[in-house]
Amino acid sequence: FFAQLVGRLCVAASAPRCALPSTNQHMRGSGASDAPVLGFPEKFDLALRYGEELVHGNDAIDVSDRLLLDALAKQAQHGACNAPRPSLFDAEGRARYSAWCQLGNTSKMEAMFMYTRALEELAPEWWRWPPLELVPPATNEARPDGECGEAGADTAAPNGTAGAEAVPPAAANHPNSTEPPPVPNGAVTPTAHPAHPAHVAPPSATPLASEPEHPPGGAPPSALRRLTVGGWTRLAEQGAPARYRHACVVVGARLLVYGGRANSGRLAASICVLDLLSGVWSEPTVGGAAPEQRWGHTMCAYRGLAIVFGGHRGRGSLCDTPVLDTQSMAWASPSLPGPPPPPRGTHAAAVCADRLWVMGGDSPAAGALQMDVWSLPLRGLAEACSTRADAARGWEVADTSGGVPPPCRDGTACACGPRVLLIGGAGPSGYAPMASLWLLHVEELSWSAVHTSGSVPRPRAGHCSATVLTGAGGWRVYVFGGGNSATGFDDLHVLDTSWRWSKLERAESGGGGGGGGEDSARDEAPPGACEGAAMASSGGMLLLCGGYSSGGATRASFAWGCEGGAYAAAASPRELAYAERRSSGANEPPLPARTLLLLSCPSGSPAQAYAQAAQAALTHGFTELQVVAVPAAGDGGPAGAAAAASATSQEQALSMMLQRLEELQLQWRTLDGGTTSLLSQAHVLGSVQPCRYTLMAAGTPRVFSAHWIGLLDLASGRSAVASTAAREVAGAERNTRAWGSAKAAAPADLDVDSALLLTQAWRSLIKSW
C-alpha cells in the first residue's frame, strides 16, 4: 500500500521545478504559470496551512492521500517517527503511525518538498486560497471547478511569461510597493524587477540614469570589489573575530571561521561568517549539539559541509569529527564505525579523492606524533549527514609504502591533483626544511620526497597554506607567515607544478573590503608577521584571516588576487564560436557572440553535452547566445573527483549548484577588469549539478536521477533555478572503487532521455525568467 503511495509521489515529483534561490532551497510548484515564487520552509508552512484547513480532514479526499499528507507533515515538522505505538483498537491511529514510520530517516527538508508536491497533485493552485494572501485580491475570483476550496482565475501574462512569478510573498501583499526584496546573506542575488524582459542584452557600458549606483549584479558599498592582482586587499573588520590557532573554509561566497583562541586566551566557540558578496561579518545561530571548544584543529570543506577534526582542549586533545552543514547551519556528529585516529592537534589535513586525509600533529601526553596517515571516506559521510543515519565506513589507517616523513606538528597539507603535499612544521629534530617536501600519493598510498628550487622559504611552523587551481589540471600552492624560534614571517611564497618556489613581493592593498576607510594608512597596510593564521582559497584569490603577532590576536582579514587563475587562459567569445563551428564541420563564417553564458559543471562530467542542451533551449531567450561549459574545481581536491560524482539527494544537488553559482559571481566581481579571461567577458552565469538518489518503497530501493540548473544575469542580478523531471534508473548501481584510489568510473555521456529533460528544464526556466 505504501509502495503505491510513494510511487505515485515519485511521479508527482517528476514535474520540472523553477524558483528563485534564497537562504534555503527554493523551487516552483507545478501549478499554473503565474504561481508566486516561494522558498522553503515558507512554502511548506503555507501549504501545510492550506492542507490542514481543506484537505487533511476532508472526507471527499481519498484516505491514502490523507494518510500520506499527514505522515509527510509530521516528518517535516518532527523528523523520524518518535511517537508511541497506538492502541490495537485505534485503527486510524495505527494507520497514521505506520505511514509515518515508513518514511524512515527522510530529512525534514525532503519531507517538506514531498508534502508540497503531493498537495499540488491534489490542488495545483492551492496558493490562490485567499487567506494565504499570495495573490492580489483582484485575482481571487471564485473558481467554478470547486477544486478543494481553491479560488482565483488563471491570469495570462504577455509573451508567455508569468506576470506574478517573480514577486516574493512579501511584495505580493503590497502590489504598489517599489521596494526590492531583501538580499539574504550567502545567497545568489534574487531577481530584479518582474517587468524585466526575458530577452537579456549584454551589460551596457553606460548605466541608465534611473539605475542605482550599485546595480543588483554589482557590488554593494561594503562588498569585496576588484582585487589587487599580486597584492593584498584588506577586508571588512567590523564584527570580525580576533582569533588565532583557528580554522576557516570558503563555501560558495561565504568565509566561515571556527574555533581557536581569542586575545584573552579563552577558547572561541561561535561560528563567524563573512559574506564576501556583501562584505558583512555575522555570527549566525547554529543548530544541533555544538562540539567542544578547541584550538589547533583542522576544518575542510566538502559538498557544503565543513568537516572538523581533532584539536586541543585544556590539557588534552580531541579525536572527534563534528560536521557543520553550511546550508542549514546545523552541527551533526554522525556515528562512524571503527576506532578514530589517536587524539591530536596542530596536525595537517586535506581533502583529496573524496577522502579527508589526516597526518602528524601532537598531543600533550605523547608530544609530536609519528607520521601515521588516516583517511575518512567523505561521500558516505555526506550521505549519512543528509539522511541522519550512521555512516557505512569510518576512519581507516593507511598502510603506506616508501619513506616515511619524520614526526611533525604545526605543518600544513595541500591537495595537488591526486596527491597531498606536506609543508613545513617542526619535530624533535627541528624545523622541517622547505627545500625538501614530502608528497603522499593517495592512489598508491606511498610517500615520496620532492626537492624544490627557486626562492625557497625559510623553515617554519605555524604558517598557513592553500591551493589555487590554474586550469587544465594545474595548481599552485601558496604559503604565508609562520615563524621559528627566532622570528615571525610576513612573506608569501608560491610553489608551482615544476616544484619551484617564488617569493611574491608585497603590493599595497586596495582596501576594497570597506574595513575602515580606503584612504587610511591602516587600510593600506598589508598583513604583518604572524603565526596561527588561517587561509582558504576561492577561485583566483586567497583569503587570510586572524593570527597572532606582537600585538596579540588580530581581527584583520585580507584577500590576495592570484595571477593565472583557472579562467585566465580561455579564449574570447568570437574565438570560441569559431572553434565551435569548425569542430562541427561548418564552413560558413562564425557570427559574433553578443551574449556569453559561462556554464559551470562538475569536473569530469559531459560538459559539452551540458552546453549543447543549454544552447538549444536558451537561444531564443538571449541575443546570439554562446554557451561555454567550464568544469568546476572539485571540492574533493583539485583532482575534481568529488565534483564529478552525482549528488546523493535533491537537497544536496541544489546546495552544490547554488554554491558554484555564488563562487562564479564572486570571482566575476573580484576579477581584474583588464583581464581577457572568459569570466571577465561573461554576461550570464550558469550552473548544472547531476543528482542520483534512492527512495525506499516497502523495503525496495528505487533509484532516480535528476539535474539542478541555475542562471544569474550579471547586468540586472536576475537569477532563477530549476530542476529536471526525476527519472527512474533501472538497475542503477553506485560507482565503486577501492579505498585509497582516486580513480572513479568515467562518467557516461549524457543519454538521450537526460538531454531531453535538461532541455525541457532550461526552457521552463527561461520562460519563468
Side-chain angles (χ1 to χ4, degrees):
F1 166 73
F2 196 78
Q4 294 177 355
L5 296 183
V6 174
R8 209 183 71 250
L9 180 61
C10 293
V11 174
S14 64
R17 303 180 293 277
C18 299
L20 299 178
S22 179
T23 52
N24 290 317
Q25 290 75 7
H26 280 66
M27 52 201 73
R28 184 180 187 75
S30 59
S33 61
D34 56 345
V37 175
L38 303 172
F40 283 83
E42 294 83 5
K43 183 174 182 178
F44 167 75
D45 294 336
L46 294 171
L48 181 64
R49 182 180 167 192
Y50 175 92
E52 289 179 338
E53 184 72 21
L54 299 175
V55 178
H56 289 203
N58 190 343
D59 294 336
I61 304 298
D62 187 83
V63 63
S64 63
D65 294 318
R66 285 184 283 150
L67 279 176
L68 179 61
L69 289 172
D70 180 75
L72 290 172
K74 291 177 179 177
Q75 188 82 7
Q77 294 174 297
H78 308 291
C81 180
N82 56 3
R85 183 183 297 273
S87 167
L88 181 64
F89 302 99
D90 184 4
E92 180 179 351
R94 289 179 65 86
R96 293 177 183 273
Y97 175 84
S98 177
W100 187 7
C101 289
Q102 288 289 337
L103 291 175
N105 291 321
T106 301
S107 68
K108 291 184 179 180
M109 182 61 68
E110 186 174 0
M112 291 182 187
F113 167 71
M114 295 169 70
Y115 180 92
T116 58
R117 302 304 293 182
L119 180 65
E120 286 167 351
E121 185 183 3
L122 297 172
E125 298 184 359
W126 60 268
W127 46 270
R128 290 188 182 276
W129 190 39
L132 299 180
E133 298 181 341
L134 293 179
V135 293
T139 65
N140 287 331
E141 301 174 3
R143 289 181 58 86
D145 53 12
E147 182 182 358
C148 294
E150 301 228 349
D154 293 336
T155 55
N159 302 327
T161 57
E165 65 87 23
V167 183
N173 294 336
H174 306 280
N176 297 326
S177 173
T178 59
E179 292 295 323
V183 181
N185 291 339
V188 180
T189 312
T191 187
H193 195 277
H196 193 287
H199 175 90
V200 180
S204 173
T206 305
L208 300 177
S210 59
E211 291 181 345
E213 181 180 357
H214 300 284
S222 61
L224 177 64
R225 295 183 288 277
R226 298 297 182 190
L227 290 180
T228 303
V229 176
W232 292 106
T233 299
R234 198 179 188 101
L235 305 182
E237 287 190 20
Q238 183 176 0
R243 298 185 186 180
Y244 63 98
R245 298 288 190 175
H246 53 295
C248 71
V249 293
V250 176
V251 177
R254 293 176 295 165
L255 175 69
L256 292 90
V257 177
Y258 169 68
R261 291 187 178 275
N263 249 326
S264 61
R266 293 180 177 272
L267 296 178
S270 62
I271 291 282
C272 294
V273 178
L274 172 61
D275 188 325
L276 296 168
L277 293 175
S278 65
V280 176
W281 281 96
S282 64
E283 289 189 17
T285 301
V286 181
E292 293 187 71
Q293 301 174 4
R294 65 195 68 204
W295 64 272
H297 55 287
T298 56
M299 182 166 67
C300 301
Y302 180 85
R303 293 193 173 192
L305 302 177
I307 304 167
V308 177
F309 175 74
H312 293 312
R313 173 175 174 80
R315 298 181 180 180
S317 301
L318 302 171
C319 61
D320 56 343
T321 313
V323 179
L324 176 67
D325 186 336
T326 62
Q327 188 72 13
S328 61
M329 291 305 292
W331 284 107
S333 296
S335 177
L336 302 175
R344 67 189 67 199
T346 65
H347 52 280
V351 172
C352 184
D354 287 333
R355 282 178 173 262
L356 175 63
W357 301 85
V358 170
M359 58 202 72
D362 66 354
S363 68
L369 301 175
Q370 296 297 320
M371 193 54 64
D372 55 344
V373 177
W374 291 76
S375 72
L376 176 65
L378 294 182
R379 291 193 64 188
L381 179 69
E383 189 170 353
C385 292
S386 176
T387 60
R388 294 175 175 81
D390 294 342
R393 300 172 68 180
W395 286 99
E396 299 168 342
V397 62
D399 184 12
T400 59
S401 60
V404 179
C408 179
R409 60 176 175 81
D410 267 334
T412 59
C414 289
C416 305
R419 300 163 298 186
V420 176
L421 181 66
L422 187 62
I423 307 169
S429 58
Y431 292 92
M434 303 292 276
S436 180
L437 306 178
W438 285 93
L439 197 63
L440 174 66
H441 304 263
V442 300
E443 296 179 12
E444 297 84 7
L445 294 178
S446 63
W447 285 103
S448 65
V450 175
H451 300 285
T452 63
S453 60
S455 180
V456 180
R458 295 170 63 183
R460 65 192 65 199
H463 53 283
C464 53
S465 63
T467 301
V468 173
L469 302 184
T470 59
W475 49 264
R476 291 177 180 172
V477 173
Y478 291 79
V479 177
F480 173 80
N484 55 30
S485 55
T487 185
F489 300 107
D490 62 353
D491 51 356
L492 180 66
H493 287 77
V494 59
L495 180 68
D496 59 28
T497 53
S498 64
W499 307 112
R500 181 176 180 83
W501 287 104
S502 300
K503 182 178 179 181
L504 303 179
E505 298 299 331
R506 301 187 308 181
E508 289 188 352
S509 65
E518 295 183 1
D519 297 329
S520 66
R522 182 182 180 185
D523 271 351
E524 294 178 356
C530 67
E531 298 183 35
M535 179 185 285
S537 65
S538 177
M541 66 175 167
L542 301 172
L543 294 164
L544 176 73
C545 65
Y548 191 88
S549 63
S550 57
T554 177
R555 67 179 67 252
S557 299
F558 299 86
W560 177 282
C562 303
E563 297 180 356
Y567 302 94
S572 68
R574 180 184 293 272
E575 293 167 339
L576 291 166
Y578 180 72
E580 177 69 15
R581 289 178 175 271
R582 286 290 299 271
S583 64
S584 63
N587 295 322
E588 67 270 18
L591 293 174
R594 292 180 54 196
T595 303
L596 175 62
L597 191 159
L598 202 62
L599 182 65
S600 174
C601 58
S603 176
S605 63
Q608 190 59 34
Y610 285 148
Q612 291 173 355
Q615 183 84 44
L618 303 178
T619 299
H620 300 294
F622 296 89
T623 303
E624 297 179 13
L625 178 69
Q626 176 69 47
V627 179
V628 179
V630 178
D635 53 3
S646 296
T648 55
S649 68
Q650 293 265 14
E651 183 179 7
Q652 186 184 80
L654 175 58
S655 175
M656 293 169 64
M657 186 275 296
L658 286 178
Q659 288 167 16
R660 285 210 305 273
L661 206 55
E662 291 176 358
E663 290 170 358
L664 277 179
Q665 184 185 13
L666 176 64
Q667 293 173 41
W668 171 81
R669 179 177 295 173
T670 56
L671 268 178
D672 190 299
T675 184
T676 58
S677 68
L678 257 184
L679 193 56
S680 67
Q681 301 178 47
H683 306 103
V684 184
L685 303 179
S687 180
V688 58
Q689 174 61 46
C691 170
R692 177 171 292 187
Y693 58 98
T694 302
L695 294 179
M696 300 298 295
T700 302
R702 300 175 62 182
V703 181
F704 295 83
S705 67
H707 286 79
W708 278 92
I709 57 176
L711 284 180
L712 171 65
D713 175 30
L714 294 171
S716 64
R718 293 175 60 84
S719 59
V721 303
S723 77
T724 65
R727 180 174 66 88
E728 186 168 5
V729 182
E733 296 182 358
R734 295 173 181 241
N735 292 333
T736 58
R737 71 178 107 166
W739 89 268
S741 173
K743 293 181 179 179
D749 292 336
L750 197 62
D751 58 87
V752 176
D753 290 340
S754 297
L756 290 175
L757 292 174
L758 260 178
T759 302
Q760 180 185 5
W762 282 119
R763 287 174 178 167
S764 176
L765 184 146
I766 200 63
K767 285 181 180 178
S768 71
W769 195 306

